[in-house]
Amino acid sequence: MRGTEPYQGMCLVDGWTHDLAEVARAARAWRDGVPLEEVRRAAPFVHLTGRFEVPDNDPVRLAASEWQHLRREAYELEYDWREPYQALIEAAHASPALRALYPFTSHWVLRFSTATRPRLALVGPCLTANADGTYGVGTGMLAPDLGLFATAPEAVACAVRQLPSGLGPVAPRE
């Protein structure tokens, strides 16, 4: 089962079960428009992705929703580099300058945009968390050409210094 929000098509809930009665309960709760936590209570197999519906399509709330998703996803990872990745996401979220942007990942590289999906407007450098506990900052996804750091807050500080001045709140997608 997979449920998406209507504006960006981003997954809000998903899950897998052999029990068709649970699927029916989840589908009915979804159809009835109950809050996501209630969908999960109705059908415990349902996994909440950490995103929330933003009915008014407010770009600031969409960015907050994506941050919520990234933070939850970081804590649910089952990879060796889970702890460095969690630290990176939390350090970036703690930065007001980065938290005001729309975050997204590609190949586990943290990126930022001044606009929401589907028309992302990339801004700033790429941030990576490495299995050895180091953190990279780069102008592209493949190399930490702006620095390799021992802590996530150091990498985030470097990334913030690379942001152009005068960035406002995230803009709507067009």
Side-chain angles (χ1 to χ4, degrees):
M1 172 192 153
R2 178 179 165 91
T4 62
E5 54 84 31
Y7 301 105
Q8 301 183 95
M10 304 298 275
C11 184
L12 300 172
V13 299
D14 60 14
W16 189 90
T17 182
H18 287 289
D19 186 342
L20 290 179
E22 278 195 323
V23 172
R25 282 193 299 276
R28 180 180 186 112
W30 181 264
R31 185 203 67 201
D32 291 347
V34 303
L36 297 177
E37 284 291 338
E38 288 184 34
V39 173
R40 188 173 189 307
R41 278 194 289 279
F45 77 94
V46 168
H47 168 257
L48 302 180
T49 64
R51 291 184 171 108
F52 56 87
E53 292 182 88
V54 181
D56 61 358
N57 208 22
D58 178 300
V60 172
R61 291 184 64 214
L62 286 170
S65 172
E66 200 59 19
W67 275 112
Q68 179 177 324
H69 164 69
L70 289 176
R71 294 175 77 200
R72 177 172 282 179
E73 179 183 60
Y75 282 88
E76 293 176 349
L77 288 177
E78 295 182 10
Y79 294 112
D80 293 340
W81 43 268
R82 178 177 117 170
E83 288 182 23
Y85 187 74
Q86 287 172 344
L88 178 65
I89 297 298
E90 291 301 331
H93 182 261
S95 165
L98 296 180
R99 192 173 54 249
L101 299 171
Y102 185 87
F104 66 99
T105 58
S106 177
H107 299 83
W108 302 107
V109 175
L110 181 59
R111 315 265 332 251
F112 303 95
S113 173
T114 57
T116 59
R117 294 178 194 268
R119 293 203 164 87
L120 298 173
L122 303 180
V123 64
C126 301
L127 292 160
T128 57
N130 304 310
D132 67 359
T134 61
Y135 302 87
V137 181
T139 56
M141 291 177 51
L142 300 177
D145 58 340
L146 297 174
L148 195 59
F149 300 90
T151 69
E154 290 173 316
V156 165
C158 175
V160 169
R161 288 191 299 273
Q162 303 299 315
L163 292 174
S165 62
L167 289 177
V170 70
R173 60 185 166 76
E174 298 185 18

Short mmCIF file of all heavy atoms in Angstrom, two decimals, residues 12 28 68 112-113 162:
data_model
loop_
_atom_site.label_atom_id
_atom_site.label_comp_id
_atom_site.label_asym_id
_atom_site.label_seq_id
_atom_site.Cartn_x
_atom_site.Cartn_y
_atom_site.Cartn_z
N LEU A 12 3.32 9.63 1.60
CA LEU A 12 3.01 9.96 2.99
C LEU A 12 2.95 8.71 3.86
O LEU A 12 3.36 8.73 5.01
CB LEU A 12 1.66 10.68 3.08
CG LEU A 12 1.54 12.00 2.32
CD1 LEU A 12 0.10 12.48 2.35
CD2 LEU A 12 2.48 13.02 2.89
N ARG A 28 -9.77 2.44 3.86
CA ARG A 28 -10.97 3.17 4.30
C ARG A 28 -10.57 4.41 5.11
O ARG A 28 -11.13 5.49 4.91
CB ARG A 28 -11.86 2.26 5.14
CG ARG A 28 -13.10 3.00 5.60
CD ARG A 28 -14.02 2.13 6.43
NE ARG A 28 -15.22 2.89 6.68
CZ ARG A 28 -16.40 2.61 6.19
NH1 ARG A 28 -16.55 1.55 5.42
NH2 ARG A 28 -17.43 3.35 6.47
N GLN A 68 10.90 17.15 8.02
CA GLN A 68 10.34 16.12 8.91
C GLN A 68 10.61 14.74 8.33
O GLN A 68 11.01 13.82 9.04
CB GLN A 68 8.85 16.37 9.09
CG GLN A 68 8.16 15.35 9.97
CD GLN A 68 6.69 15.68 10.17
OE1 GLN A 68 6.30 16.83 10.25
NE2 GLN A 68 5.87 14.66 10.24
N PHE A 112 19.91 21.50 -1.39
CA PHE A 112 18.95 22.52 -0.99
C PHE A 112 18.43 23.27 -2.20
O PHE A 112 19.11 23.40 -3.21
CB PHE A 112 19.60 23.51 -0.01
CG PHE A 112 20.15 22.82 1.19
CD1 PHE A 112 21.49 22.46 1.22
CD2 PHE A 112 19.35 22.47 2.25
CE1 PHE A 112 22.02 21.78 2.31
CE2 PHE A 112 19.86 21.78 3.34
CZ PHE A 112 21.20 21.45 3.37
N SER A 113 17.21 23.79 -2.06
CA SER A 113 16.56 24.53 -3.13
C SER A 113 15.82 25.72 -2.54
O SER A 113 15.35 25.68 -1.41
CB SER A 113 15.57 23.61 -3.86
OG SER A 113 14.81 24.33 -4.80
N GLN A 162 28.78 29.28 2.19
CA GLN A 162 28.74 29.25 0.73
C GLN A 162 27.40 29.75 0.16
O GLN A 162 27.29 29.95 -1.04
CB GLN A 162 28.98 27.82 0.22
CG GLN A 162 30.29 27.21 0.66
CD GLN A 162 31.49 28.00 0.18
OE1 GLN A 162 31.56 28.40 -0.97
NE2 GLN A 162 32.44 28.21 1.07
#
